[in-house]
Amino acid sequence: MPPVARPSSRRKMRVWGRFRRRIQQLGPYPSLLLLLVPLATVEPLKIVALVVAGKGHWLSGAATIVAAYAMSLLFTERLFRLVKPKLLMLNWFAVIWSKVTSVWSTLQIKIGTRADGASE
């Protein structure tokens, strides 16, 4: 690879790496607040999209719903993976998370699927 192309890609990785490290250095409650910001914007946007679609603007309502779900799945899920270790430091969150994962694994056993997507 020519040396001219390398610094640009390295700079991008450095920016994302710094961003990731700064998020991981936050405490438990600032991490929770950081996670609530995109959730507080995406979830009401889904409701607004339903109202817009209900008023007859199907295309713009559907596009808004797709964009809101994409943002929810892509951005919020990645952010949750980054802040999850800090959130598990909160006792109440750790208890809720363990119950949720327990219910999820029980449902997977009853349905007959495993976490890796294979069926038993």
Side-chain angles (χ1 to χ4, degrees):
M1 201 171 225
V4 176
R6 284 183 152 175
S8 175
S9 62
R10 284 184 182 171
R11 249 185 264 128
K12 285 182 184 178
M13 290 302 289
R14 285 183 193 154
V15 169
W16 286 113
R18 275 191 230 124
F19 179 68
R20 190 177 310 120
R21 270 183 264 130
R22 290 199 64 169
I23 289 174
Q24 289 172 340
Q25 290 174 350
L26 291 173
Y29 285 106
S31 296
L32 180 64
L33 184 64
L34 182 68
L35 186 64
L36 289 179
V37 169
L39 287 176
T41 57
V42 169
E43 296 305 319
L45 187 62
K46 293 175 186 176
I47 295 170
V48 169
L50 285 174
V51 170
V52 168
K55 293 206 177 211
H57 302 283
W58 291 99
L59 191 59
S60 59
T64 306
I65 288 174
V66 167
Y69 273 102
M71 184 178 166
S72 178
L73 284 173
L74 299 175
F75 183 73
T76 309
E77 189 268 337
R78 283 183 177 233
L79 187 59
F80 178 72
R81 284 187 181 192
L82 281 174
V83 300
K84 183 175 138 186
K86 294 292 182 168
L87 293 176
L88 289 174
M89 295 171 117
L90 302 169
N91 289 332
W92 59 270
F93 187 86
V95 168
I96 292 171
W97 184 252
S98 67
K99 287 182 182 181
V100 167
T101 55
S102 172
V103 168
W104 181 252
S105 62
T106 303
L107 285 174
Q108 285 182 329
I109 290 170
K110 287 185 179 184
I111 293 173
T113 59
R114 294 189 311 233
D116 59 0
S119 57
E120 297 182 67

